[in-house]
Amino acid sequence: MKILVCISKTPDTTAKIAFTDNNTKFASEGVQWIINPYDEWYALVRAIEMKEKDPTVQIQLVTVGGADADPIIRKALALGGDEAIRVDAEGQDSFFIASQIAGVAADGGFDLILTGKETIDHNGASIGGMVAELLDMDYVSLAVKLDMEQGKAVVTREIEGGEEICEAVLPLVVSCQKGMAEARIPNMRGIMAARSKPLKVVVPVPAASLTSIQSFELPLAKSGVKLISADHPEELVRLLHEEARII
Amino acid sequence: MSVLIFADQSEGHIRKSTYEALSYGAKVAELTGTVAEAIVLGPVLDSLSGLGKYGITKVHHVPDNGLEHMDARCYTAVIAEAVQQTGADTVIFSNNITGKAVAPRLSARLKAGLVAGAVSLPDLAGGFSVRRSVFSGKAYANVSIITPIRIITLNQNAYGIAESAGTAEVLNMTISSPASRLTFKSTSKVSGKVPLTEAEMVISGGRGLKGPEHWGLVEDLADLLGAATACSRAVADAHWRPHHEHVGQTGLAIAPNLYFAIGISGAIQHLAGVNRSKVIVVVNKDPEAPFFKAADYGIVGDAFEVMPKVIEAVRRLKAN
Ligand SMILES: Cc1cc2nc3c(=O)[nH]c(=O)nc-3n(C[C@H](O)[C@H](O)[C@H](O)COP(=O)(O)OP(=O)(O)OC[C@H]3O[C@@H](n4cnc5c(N)ncnc54)[C@H](O)[C@@H]3O)c2cc1C
Ligand SMILES: Nc1ncnc2c1ncn2[C@@H]1O[C@H](COP(=O)(O)O)[C@@H](O)[C@H]1O
């Protein structure tokens, strides 16, 4: 079985969010980059767990990004990917990125394509669905559990207010979230092995962008907290009722 | 030209987030000088002509029984066909689970630009630009769509429901869905509770509550207010509360009118999931807790002393 795991690079969860160039660019100076947590903790680790159960599983990683994504993809290899492809392109538009991933997947013969639930910087939750459509594959989103049973995928997915178990035939695209796997850290052996694992850089396929980012904005700062004495909590209830008018 | 809004339903009932999407879509239609129509898939129990109240002129109903379970591939095929038949140039979804699964597929199929997680009406000055939430609620991006057909998924609680008088014309639409290749085995719902992402008020507890046995403080207040309950990741990881209640960067992102945080420190990853809430109340015994910087109202105090008094005051308020 061949699994393609989509890996993206995001600023660390504690990174300060600011913009430059007239608010058109993320201020990346001094920012620590990480593997998008959903891609690492859930999509990738689940793929590794499946490989541990069935050694014939092959894990290919794909990322769309510039050379600065290489340390991220090396870390993913250290965790347990077998080989990686980086499509050498900076894309801000989801359709463009999805087209690149679909381009890599098109003749790869993948049984499963795993993505994270969403990127924590772009928050599109879009790439998985787009890739599935471009490849005419089934798509199960927001999965919390994924197992193979007799050549079929059994997936538990989140639905509004609950969960649903469904069985899907391969090939299949799955977006992964909490529940799928337990996060792990790379060990020394993995890190050493990752150095010699193949990381292929390919040129992008021609693809359109359907949207373009005009500018970024930071939310208005809160005017400051109104503190209420712990001796009179009922005052809080009065304010929520009379001033904020929400209860 | 028209605006087509996907009216999401669950077990035959239209969802609350749909009313927001309908109201939003009607306003987009007004701004772009066209009409707002809705599409509903699968058997429904609610009156569809009633959607006129939200500014909808026509409801296209595809009553196909094969559409009760959401299969993104089938939904996309049917909606794409409906877009064609109605000549819609703007398609709107709620940015809920169904919208997140279907809108991207539809975008790829129609080569229609998608703005996912919109928080504003489109700005039509010099194009079609929509503001969306990025960096897990810590910033916004203004994104313009540069294709003839445009798709927007609207963040929940980002646009108020607008009701007026009116009835919609209900039309049956026959579009055959491709056969689903998914087999649905079972569905489990957390019954009787407001889904967290749709809730207008959320009461949430953190490690400061010391253990699951003290969650009565959260639940009593939630029950009185008709609010949903949530928790920090630390609490879910300790198995004090179920994982589906965990909010934040790696849990659910919510934007209720009221987020009431008890014994939560307000770590940046927690704030990422709740900072779009309209009013934030924090009860924490540590005056230096970072959450106070993001709060509108706060009490520095011991939750075990403060909360019973808050609950009592709400009970009195509700009794009046
Ligand atoms: C990559 C990453 C992703 C993460 N994602 C998330 C996420 O999605 N959601 C999330 O919540 N966290 C997330 N975290 C964890 C986050 O950093 C915090 O560790 C977590 O939110 C802490 O939970 P807490 O506030 O309940 O606990 P604590 O940090 O232990 O805070 C407890 C608070 O309770 C107060 N307190 C104690 N006793 C009382 C009392 N008697 N009365 C009143 N107050 C009291 C204390 O002053 C303290 O502020 C993530 C972390 C990382 C690294
Ligand atoms: N540049 C990228 N390269 C590879 N995979 C990506 C990229 N961007 C997003 N993805 C994948 O798509 C998922 C959803 O991303 P998004 O639609 O941006 O929220 C992520 O969790 C990744 O698995």
Side-chain angles (χ1 to χ4, degrees), chain A residues 13 38 41 117 120-123 126 129-130 133 137-138 157 159-167 178 210-212 214-217 219 222 226-228 230 243, chain B residues 15 69-70 73 97 104-105 109 131-132 134-136 138 140 142 144 146 181 183-188 190 197 233 237 243 246 249-251 269 294 296-298:
Chain A
T13 53
Y38 293 104
W41 300 350
K117 164 187 155 175
I120 62 168
D121 51 355
H122 186 68
N123 304 111
S126 306
M130 288 182 175
E133 184 64 28
M137 284 162 69
D138 275 303
R157 67 170 182 179
I159 56 171
E160 224 75 49
E163 287 181 358
E164 194 161 64
I165 301 176
C166 68
E167 199 177 82
K178 188 164 184 168
L210 311 178
T211 60
S212 87
Q214 304 297 311
S215 60
F216 292 99
E217 272 172 51
K222 289 255 179 194
K226 194 174 245 184
L227 287 178
I228 295 118
E243 187 178 86
Chain B
R15 292 183 201 285
H69 284 278
M70 192 271 288
R73 191 176 62 90
I97 292 172
R105 284 200 82 129
R109 190 181 188 101
R131 179 190 297 198
R132 61 185 294 268
V134 290
F135 291 99
S136 302
K138 287 176 232 163
Y140 298 109
N142 297 306
S144 61
I146 50 187
R181 297 185 291 230
T183 319
F184 292 92
K185 300 282 184 193
S186 70
T187 302
S188 58
V190 195
T197 50
R233 176 179 168 136
D237 283 351
H243 274 299
H246 148 209
Q249 185 124 46
T250 44
Q269 298 94 351
D296 298 279
Y297 298 97

Coordinates of all heavy atoms in Angstrom, one line a residue, chain A residues 13 38 41 117 120-123 126 129-130 133 137-138 157 159-167 178 210-212 214-217 219 222 226-228 230 243, chain B residues 15 69-70 73 97 104-105 109 131-132 134-136 138 140 142 144 146 181 183-188 190 197 233 237 243 246 249-251 269 294 296-298:
Chain A
T13 N 3.3 27.7 17.0 CA 2.0 28.1 17.6 C 2.1 29.4 18.4 O 1.1 30.1 18.7 CB 1.3 27.0 18.4 OG1 2.3 26.6 19.4 CG2 0.9 25.8 17.6
Y38 N -1.4 19.4 12.6 CA -2.3 18.3 12.2 C -1.7 17.4 11.2 O -2.0 16.2 11.1 CB -3.6 19.0 11.5 CG -4.4 19.7 12.4 CD1 -4.4 21.1 12.4 CD2 -5.3 19.1 13.3 CE1 -5.2 21.8 13.3 CE2 -6.1 19.8 14.1 CZ -6.1 21.2 14.1 OH -6.8 21.9 15.0
W41 N 1.1 15.4 13.7 CA 0.6 14.6 14.8 C -0.4 13.5 14.4 O -0.5 12.5 14.9 CB 0.0 15.4 15.9 CG 0.9 16.4 16.5 CD1 2.3 16.5 16.3 CD2 0.5 17.5 17.4 NE1 2.7 17.6 17.1 CE2 1.7 18.2 17.7 CE3 -0.7 17.9 17.9 CZ2 1.7 19.3 18.6 CZ3 -0.7 19.0 18.8 CH2 0.5 19.7 19.1
K117 N -6.2 18.4 9.1 CA -7.5 19.0 9.1 C -7.5 20.4 8.4 O -8.3 20.8 7.6 CB -8.0 19.1 10.5 CG -9.2 20.0 10.8 CD -9.4 20.1 12.3 CE -10.1 21.4 12.7 NZ -10.4 21.5 14.1
I120 N -2.6 25.8 10.4 CA -2.9 26.7 11.4 C -2.6 28.2 11.1 O -2.8 29.1 11.8 CB -2.2 26.4 12.8 CG1 -0.7 26.4 12.7 CG2 -2.7 25.0 13.3 CD1 0.0 26.3 14.0
D121 N -2.0 28.4 9.9 CA -1.8 29.8 9.4 C -2.8 30.2 8.3 O -3.5 31.2 8.4 CB -0.4 30.0 8.9 CG 0.1 29.0 7.9 OD1 -0.6 28.0 7.6 OD2 1.2 29.2 7.3
H122 N -3.0 29.3 7.4 CA -4.0 29.6 6.3 C -5.4 29.2 6.7 O -6.4 29.9 6.2 CB -3.5 28.9 5.0 CG -4.3 29.3 3.9 ND1 -4.3 30.5 3.3 CD2 -5.3 28.6 3.1 CE1 -5.1 30.6 2.3 NE2 -5.7 29.4 2.2
N123 N -5.6 28.2 7.5 CA -6.9 27.8 8.0 C -7.9 27.6 6.8 O -9.1 27.9 7.0 CB -7.5 28.8 9.0 CG -6.7 29.0 10.2 OD1 -6.1 30.1 10.3 ND2 -6.5 28.1 11.0
S126 N -9.1 23.2 3.0 CA -9.5 23.1 1.7 C -8.7 22.1 0.8 O -9.3 21.6 -0.2 CB -9.5 24.4 1.0 OG -10.1 25.4 1.7
G129 N -10.0 18.3 0.0 CA -11.2 18.3 -0.9 C -10.9 18.6 -2.3 O -11.3 18.0 -3.2
M130 N -10.0 19.6 -2.5 CA -9.6 20.0 -3.8 C -8.8 18.9 -4.5 O -9.0 18.6 -5.7 CB -8.8 21.3 -3.8 CG -9.6 22.5 -3.5 SD -8.6 24.0 -3.5 CE -9.9 25.2 -3.2
E133 N -11.1 16.1 -5.6 CA -11.9 16.4 -6.8 C -11.0 16.4 -8.0 O -11.4 15.8 -9.1 CB -12.5 17.8 -6.6 CG -13.4 18.2 -7.8 CD -14.7 17.3 -7.9 OE1 -15.1 16.7 -6.9 OE2 -15.2 17.2 -9.0
M137 N -11.2 11.3 -6.6 CA -11.2 10.3 -5.6 C -12.2 10.6 -4.5 O -12.7 11.7 -4.4 CB -9.8 10.3 -4.9 CG -8.8 9.6 -5.8 SD -7.0 9.9 -5.4 CE -6.8 9.1 -3.9
D138 N -12.6 9.6 -3.7 CA -13.5 9.9 -2.6 C -12.7 10.7 -1.5 O -11.5 10.7 -1.4 CB -14.0 8.6 -2.0 CG -15.2 8.1 -2.7 OD1 -16.2 8.8 -2.8 OD2 -15.1 7.0 -3.2
R157 N -15.4 9.6 11.3 CA -15.3 11.1 11.0 C -16.2 11.9 11.9 O -17.2 11.4 12.4 CB -15.6 11.4 9.6 CG -17.1 11.1 9.2 CD -17.4 11.7 7.8 NE -18.8 11.5 7.5 CZ -19.4 11.9 6.4 NH1 -18.7 12.4 5.5 NH2 -20.7 11.7 6.2
I159 N -19.0 14.5 12.6 CA -20.1 15.2 12.0 C -20.7 16.2 13.0 O -20.2 16.2 14.1 CB -21.2 14.2 11.5 CG1 -21.7 13.4 12.7 CG2 -20.8 13.3 10.4 CD1 -23.0 12.5 12.5
E160 N -21.5 17.1 12.6 CA -22.0 18.1 13.5 C -22.6 17.4 14.7 O -23.6 16.6 14.6 CB -23.1 18.9 12.7 CG -22.9 20.4 12.9 CD -21.8 21.1 12.2 OE1 -21.6 20.8 11.0 OE2 -21.0 21.8 12.8
G161 N -22.1 17.7 15.8 CA -22.6 17.1 17.1 C -22.4 15.6 17.3 O -23.1 15.0 18.0
G162 N -21.5 15.0 16.6 CA -21.2 13.6 16.8 C -20.2 13.0 15.9 O -19.3 13.7 15.4
E163 N -20.3 11.7 15.8 CA -19.3 11.0 14.9 C -20.1 10.0 14.1 O -21.2 9.5 14.4 CB -18.3 10.2 15.8 CG -17.3 11.2 16.4 CD -16.3 10.4 17.3 OE1 -16.4 9.2 17.4 OE2 -15.4 11.1 17.8
E164 N -19.4 9.6 13.0 CA -20.0 8.6 12.1 C -18.9 7.7 11.6 O -17.8 8.1 11.3 CB -20.6 9.4 10.9 CG -21.5 8.7 10.0 CD -22.3 9.7 9.1 OE1 -21.7 10.4 8.4 OE2 -23.5 9.7 9.3
I165 N -19.2 6.4 11.5 CA -18.2 5.4 11.0 C -18.6 5.1 9.5 O -19.8 4.7 9.3 CB -18.2 4.2 11.8 CG1 -17.9 4.6 13.3 CG2 -17.2 3.2 11.3 CD1 -17.9 3.4 14.2
C166 N -17.7 5.2 8.6 CA -18.0 4.8 7.3 C -16.9 4.0 6.7 O -15.7 4.0 7.1 CB -18.4 6.0 6.4 SG -17.0 7.1 6.0
E167 N -17.2 3.2 5.7 CA -16.3 2.3 5.1 C -16.1 2.8 3.7 O -17.0 3.2 3.0 CB -16.9 0.9 5.0 CG -15.9 -0.2 4.8 CD -16.6 -1.5 4.8 OE1 -17.2 -1.9 3.7 OE2 -16.6 -2.2 5.8
K178 N -7.4 15.4 15.6 CA -7.1 14.8 16.9 C -7.9 13.4 17.1 O -9.0 13.3 16.7 CB -7.6 15.7 17.9 CG -7.2 15.3 19.3 CD -7.3 16.4 20.3 CE -6.8 15.9 21.6 NZ -6.6 16.9 22.6
L210 N -7.0 30.9 -8.2 CA -8.3 31.4 -8.4 C -8.6 32.6 -7.4 O -9.7 33.2 -7.6 CB -9.3 30.3 -8.1 CG -9.1 28.9 -8.8 CD1 -10.1 27.9 -8.3 CD2 -9.1 29.1 -10.3
T211 N -7.7 32.8 -6.5 CA -7.9 33.9 -5.5 C -6.6 34.6 -5.4 O -5.5 34.1 -5.7 CB -8.4 33.4 -4.2 OG1 -7.4 32.5 -3.7 CG2 -9.7 32.7 -4.2
S212 N -6.6 35.8 -4.8 CA -5.4 36.4 -4.4 C -5.5 37.3 -3.2 O -6.6 37.9 -2.9 CB -4.8 37.3 -5.6 OG -5.4 38.6 -5.5
Q214 N -5.1 40.3 -0.9 CA -4.9 41.7 -1.1 C -4.1 42.3 0.1 O -3.2 43.0 -0.1 CB -6.2 42.5 -1.2 CG -7.1 42.0 -2.3 CD -6.5 42.1 -3.7 OE1 -6.0 43.2 -4.0 NE2 -6.4 41.1 -4.5
S215 N -4.5 41.9 1.3 CA -3.8 42.5 2.5 C -4.2 41.7 3.7 O -5.2 40.9 3.7 CB -4.3 43.9 2.7 OG -5.7 44.0 2.9
F216 N -3.4 41.9 4.7 CA -3.7 41.3 6.0 C -4.1 42.4 7.0 O -3.7 43.5 6.8 CB -2.5 40.5 6.6 CG -2.2 39.3 5.8 CD1 -1.1 39.3 4.8 CD2 -2.8 38.1 6.0 CE1 -0.8 38.2 4.1 CE2 -2.5 36.9 5.3 CZ -1.5 37.0 4.3
E217 N -4.8 42.0 8.1 CA -5.2 42.9 9.1 C -5.1 42.3 10.4 O -5.4 41.1 10.5 CB -6.6 43.4 8.9 CG -6.9 44.5 8.0 CD -8.4 44.7 7.8 OE1 -9.1 44.8 8.8 OE2 -8.8 44.7 6.6
P219 N -6.7 42.1 14.3 CA -8.0 42.5 14.9 C -7.7 43.7 15.8 O -6.6 43.8 16.3 CB -8.4 41.2 15.7 CG -7.3 40.2 15.6 CD -6.3 40.7 14.7
K222 N -8.5 44.6 22.2 CA -9.5 44.7 23.2 C -9.3 46.0 24.0 O -8.1 46.3 24.3 CB -9.5 43.5 24.2 CG -10.0 42.2 23.5 CD -11.4 41.8 24.0 CE -11.8 40.5 23.3 NZ -13.2 40.3 23.4
K226 N -12.6 44.6 32.2 CA -13.2 45.2 33.3 C -13.2 44.2 34.5 O -13.8 43.1 34.3 CB -14.7 45.5 32.9 CG -15.4 46.5 33.8 CD -16.7 46.9 33.3 CE -16.8 48.4 32.9 NZ -18.2 48.8 32.4
L227 N -12.5 44.6 35.5 CA -12.4 43.6 36.6 C -13.5 43.9 37.7 O -13.9 45.0 38.0 CB -11.0 43.7 37.3 CG -9.9 43.2 36.5 CD1 -8.6 43.4 37.3 CD2 -10.1 41.7 36.2
I228 N -14.1 42.8 38.2 CA -15.1 42.8 39.1 C -14.6 42.1 40.4 O -13.9 41.1 40.3 CB -16.4 42.1 38.6 CG1 -16.9 42.8 37.4 CG2 -17.5 41.9 39.6 CD1 -16.9 42.0 36.1
A230 N -14.1 39.9 43.5 CA -14.4 38.5 43.9 C -15.5 38.5 45.0 O -16.1 37.5 45.2 CB -13.2 37.7 44.2
E243 N -25.2 45.6 30.6 CA -24.2 46.3 29.8 C -23.9 45.6 28.5 O -24.1 46.1 27.4 CB -22.9 46.5 30.6 CG -21.9 47.4 29.9 CD -20.7 47.6 30.8 OE1 -19.8 46.8 30.7 OE2 -20.6 48.6 31.5
Chain B
R15 N -30.3 23.6 9.7 CA -29.4 24.0 10.8 C -29.4 25.5 11.1 O -29.5 26.3 10.1 CB -28.0 23.6 10.5 CG -27.7 22.2 10.5 CD -26.2 22.1 10.2 NE -25.8 20.8 9.6 CZ -25.8 19.7 10.3 NH1 -26.1 19.7 11.6 NH2 -25.4 18.6 9.8
H69 N -26.8 11.0 3.9 CA -25.5 11.0 4.5 C -24.6 11.9 3.6 O -24.6 11.8 2.4 CB -24.8 9.6 4.6 CG -25.4 8.8 5.6 ND1 -25.0 8.9 6.9 CD2 -26.4 7.9 5.6 CE1 -25.7 8.1 7.7 NE2 -26.5 7.4 6.9
M70 N -23.8 12.7 4.3 CA -23.0 13.6 3.5 C -21.8 12.9 2.8 O -21.0 12.3 3.5 CB -22.5 14.7 4.4 CG -21.8 15.9 3.7 SD -20.0 15.7 3.4 CE -19.5 15.9 5.1
R73 N -18.3 13.8 -2.5 CA -18.2 13.6 -3.9 C -19.6 13.7 -4.6 O -19.8 14.4 -5.6 CB -17.6 12.2 -4.3 CG -17.2 12.0 -5.7 CD -16.6 10.7 -5.9 NE -17.5 9.6 -5.5 CZ -18.3 9.0 -6.4 NH1 -18.3 9.3 -7.7 NH2 -19.1 8.0 -6.0
I97 N -19.0 21.5 9.1 CA -18.4 20.3 8.6 C -18.7 20.0 7.1 O -17.9 19.7 6.3 CB -18.7 19.2 9.6 CG1 -18.1 19.4 10.9 CG2 -18.3 17.8 9.0 CD1 -18.5 18.5 12.0
P104 N -14.6 23.1 -1.1 CA -13.3 22.9 -1.8 C -13.4 22.1 -3.1 O -12.9 22.4 -4.1 CB -12.4 22.3 -0.8 CG -13.0 22.6 0.5 CD -14.5 22.6 0.3
R105 N -14.2 21.0 -2.9 CA -14.4 20.1 -4.1 C -15.1 20.9 -5.2 O -14.8 20.8 -6.4 CB -15.3 18.9 -3.8 CG -14.5 17.8 -3.0 CD -15.2 16.5 -3.1 NE -14.9 15.8 -4.3 CZ -14.4 14.6 -4.4 NH1 -14.3 13.8 -3.4 NH2 -14.1 14.1 -5.6
R109 N -13.9 21.7 -9.0 CA -14.7 21.2 -10.1 C -15.1 22.4 -11.0 O -15.0 22.2 -12.3 CB -15.9 20.6 -9.6 CG -16.7 19.8 -10.7 CD -17.9 19.2 -10.0 NE -18.6 18.3 -10.8 CZ -18.5 17.0 -10.8 NH1 -17.7 16.4 -9.9 NH2 -19.3 16.2 -11.5
R131 N -13.2 39.3 3.5 CA -12.3 39.1 4.6 C -12.5 37.8 5.2 O -13.6 37.3 5.5 CB -12.6 40.2 5.6 CG -11.7 40.1 6.8 CD -12.1 41.1 7.9 NE -12.0 42.4 7.4 CZ -12.0 43.5 8.2 NH1 -12.1 43.3 9.5 NH2 -12.0 44.7 7.7
R132 N -11.4 37.1 5.5 CA -11.5 35.8 6.1 C -10.6 35.7 7.3 O -9.6 36.5 7.4 CB -11.2 34.7 5.2 CG -9.8 34.7 4.6 CD -9.6 33.6 3.5 NE -9.7 32.3 4.1 CZ -8.6 31.6 4.6 NH1 -7.4 32.1 4.4 NH2 -8.8 30.4 5.2
V134 N -7.6 34.2 9.5 CA -6.4 33.4 9.2 C -5.6 33.4 10.5 O -5.9 34.1 11.5 CB -5.6 34.0 8.1 CG1 -6.2 33.8 6.7 CG2 -5.2 35.4 8.3
F135 N -4.5 32.7 10.5 CA -3.6 32.5 11.7 C -4.5 32.2 12.9 O -4.3 32.8 14.0 CB -2.8 33.8 11.9 CG -1.7 33.9 10.8 CD1 -1.9 34.8 9.8 CD2 -0.6 33.2 10.9 CE1 -1.0 34.9 8.7 CE2 0.4 33.3 9.8 CZ 0.2 34.2 8.8
S136 N -5.3 31.2 12.7 CA -6.2 30.7 13.8 C -6.8 31.8 14.6 O -6.8 31.8 15.8 CB -5.3 29.8 14.8 OG -4.8 28.8 14.0
K138 N -6.0 34.9 14.8 CA -5.1 36.0 15.2 C -5.0 37.1 14.2 O -4.4 38.2 14.4 CB -3.7 35.5 15.6 CG -3.8 34.7 16.9 CD -2.4 34.1 17.1 CE -2.5 32.6 17.4 NZ -1.2 31.9 17.3
Y140 N -6.7 38.7 10.0 CA -7.6 38.6 8.9 C -6.9 38.7 7.6 O -5.9 39.4 7.6 CB -8.7 39.6 8.9 CG -9.6 39.6 10.2 CD1 -9.5 40.6 11.1 CD2 -10.5 38.6 10.3 CE1 -10.3 40.5 12.3 CE2 -11.3 38.5 11.5 CZ -11.2 39.5 12.4 OH -11.9 39.4 13.6
N142 N -7.7 39.9 3.5 CA -8.7 40.3 2.5 C -8.3 39.6 1.2 O -7.3 39.8 0.7 CB -8.7 41.8 2.4 CG -9.1 42.5 3.7 OD1 -10.1 42.2 4.2 ND2 -8.2 43.4 4.2
S144 N -9.3 38.5 -2.7 CA -10.2 38.7 -3.8 C -10.3 37.4 -4.7 O -9.4 36.7 -4.8 CB -9.8 39.9 -4.6 OG -8.6 39.7 -5.1
I146 N -11.0 35.9 -8.3 CA -10.7 36.4 -9.6 C -11.3 35.5 -10.7 O -10.9 35.5 -11.8 CB -9.2 36.6 -9.8 CG1 -8.4 35.4 -9.5 CG2 -8.7 37.8 -9.0 CD1 -6.9 35.6 -9.5
R181 N -19.8 5.7 -3.0 CA -19.0 4.5 -2.8 C -18.6 4.3 -1.3 O -17.8 3.5 -0.9 CB -17.7 4.7 -3.6 CG -17.9 4.7 -5.1 CD -16.6 4.8 -5.9 NE -15.9 6.0 -5.7 CZ -15.5 6.8 -6.7 NH1 -15.7 6.4 -8.0 NH2 -14.8 7.9 -6.5
T183 N -19.8 3.4 2.6 CA -20.9 2.7 3.2 C -20.9 3.2 4.7 O -19.9 3.1 5.4 CB -20.5 1.2 3.3 OG1 -20.0 0.8 2.0 CG2 -21.8 0.3 3.6
F184 N -22.1 3.7 5.1 CA -22.2 4.2 6.4 C -22.6 3.1 7.4 O -23.6 2.5 7.2 CB -23.1 5.4 6.4 CG -22.6 6.6 5.7 CD1 -22.9 6.7 4.3 CD2 -21.7 7.4 6.3 CE1 -22.3 7.7 3.6 CE2 -21.1 8.5 5.5 CZ -21.4 8.6 4.2
K185 N -21.8 3.0 8.5 CA -22.0 1.9 9.4 C -22.7 2.3 10.6 O -23.6 1.6 11.1 CB -20.6 1.4 9.9 CG -19.7 0.8 8.8 CD -20.2 -0.6 8.4 CE -19.3 -1.2 7.3 NZ -19.9 -2.4 6.7
S186 N -22.4 3.5 11.2 CA -23.1 3.9 12.4 C -22.9 5.4 12.6 O -21.9 6.0 12.2 CB -22.6 3.1 13.6 OG -21.3 3.5 13.9
T187 N -23.8 6.0 13.3 CA -23.7 7.4 13.6 C -24.0 7.5 15.1 O -24.9 6.9 15.7 CB -24.8 8.2 12.9 OG1 -24.7 7.9 11.5 CG2 -24.8 9.6 13.1
S188 N -23.1 8.3 15.8 CA -23.4 8.5 17.2 C -23.4 10.0 17.5 O -22.5 10.7 17.0 CB -22.4 7.9 18.1 OG -21.1 8.3 17.8
V190 N -24.0 13.3 20.2 CA -24.1 13.7 21.6 C -25.4 14.4 21.7 O -25.6 15.5 21.2 CB -23.0 14.7 21.9 CG1 -22.8 14.8 23.4 CG2 -21.7 14.3 21.3
T197 N -19.9 24.3 18.1 CA -19.7 25.4 17.1 C -20.9 26.2 16.8 O -20.8 27.3 16.2 CB -19.2 24.7 15.8 OG1 -20.1 23.7 15.4 CG2 -17.8 24.2 15.9
R233 N -7.3 22.1 26.4 CA -6.7 20.8 26.0 C -6.1 20.0 27.2 O -6.2 18.8 27.2 CB -5.6 21.2 25.0 CG -4.8 20.0 24.6 CD -3.7 20.4 23.6 NE -2.9 19.2 23.5 CZ -2.4 18.8 22.3 NH1 -2.8 19.5 21.3 NH2 -1.7 17.8 22.3
D237 N -6.8 16.2 27.7 CA -5.7 15.3 27.7 C -5.7 14.5 29.0 O -5.3 13.3 29.1 CB -4.4 16.0 27.6 CG -4.1 16.4 26.1 OD1 -4.9 15.9 25.2 OD2 -3.2 17.1 25.9
H243 N -12.9 14.5 24.4 CA -12.1 15.3 23.5 C -12.8 16.3 22.6 O -12.3 17.3 22.2 CB -11.2 14.4 22.6 CG -9.9 14.0 23.3 ND1 -9.0 14.9 23.6 CD2 -9.5 12.8 23.7 CE1 -8.0 14.3 24.2 NE2 -8.3 13.0 24.3
H246 N -12.8 20.0 23.5 CA -11.5 20.7 23.6 C -11.5 21.8 22.5 O -11.7 21.6 21.4 CB -10.4 19.7 23.5 CG -9.1 20.1 22.8 ND1 -8.3 19.3 22.1 CD2 -8.6 21.4 22.7 CE1 -7.3 19.9 21.6 NE2 -7.4 21.2 21.9
Q249 N -6.3 25.9 19.3 CA -5.6 25.8 18.1 C -5.7 24.4 17.5 O -5.8 24.2 16.3 CB -4.1 26.1 18.4 CG -3.3 26.1 17.1 CD -2.5 27.4 17.0 OE1 -2.0 27.9 17.9 NE2 -2.6 27.9 15.8
T250 N -5.6 23.4 18.4 CA -5.7 22.0 17.9 C -7.0 21.3 18.2 O -7.2 20.1 18.0 CB -4.5 21.1 18.6 OG1 -4.5 21.5 19.9 CG2 -3.2 21.5 17.9
G251 N -7.9 22.1 18.7 CA -9.3 21.6 18.9 C -10.3 22.4 18.1 O -9.9 22.8 17.0
Q269 N -2.3 29.1 22.5 CA -2.9 28.0 21.7 C -4.4 27.9 22.1 O -5.2 27.5 21.2 CB -2.2 26.7 21.8 CG -0.8 26.7 21.4 CD 0.2 26.9 22.5 OE1 -0.3 27.3 23.6 NE2 1.4 26.7 22.3
A294 N -7.1 39.1 27.2 CA -8.0 38.9 26.1 C -9.4 39.0 26.5 O -10.3 38.9 25.7 CB -7.7 37.5 25.5
D296 N -13.0 40.6 28.3 CA -13.8 41.8 28.5 C -14.2 42.0 29.9 O -14.2 43.1 30.4 CB -15.1 41.6 27.6 CG -14.7 41.5 26.2 OD1 -14.5 42.5 25.5 OD2 -14.7 40.3 25.7
Y297 N -14.5 40.9 30.6 CA -14.9 41.0 32.0 C -14.0 39.9 32.8 O -13.8 38.9 32.2 CB -16.3 40.7 32.3 CG -17.3 41.7 31.6 CD1 -17.8 41.4 30.4 CD2 -17.5 42.9 32.2 CE1 -18.7 42.4 29.8 CE2 -18.4 43.9 31.6 CZ -18.9 43.6 30.4 OH -19.8 44.5 29.8
G298 N -13.6 40.2 34.0 CA -12.8 39.3 34.7 C -13.1 39.3 36.2 O -13.4 40.4 36.7

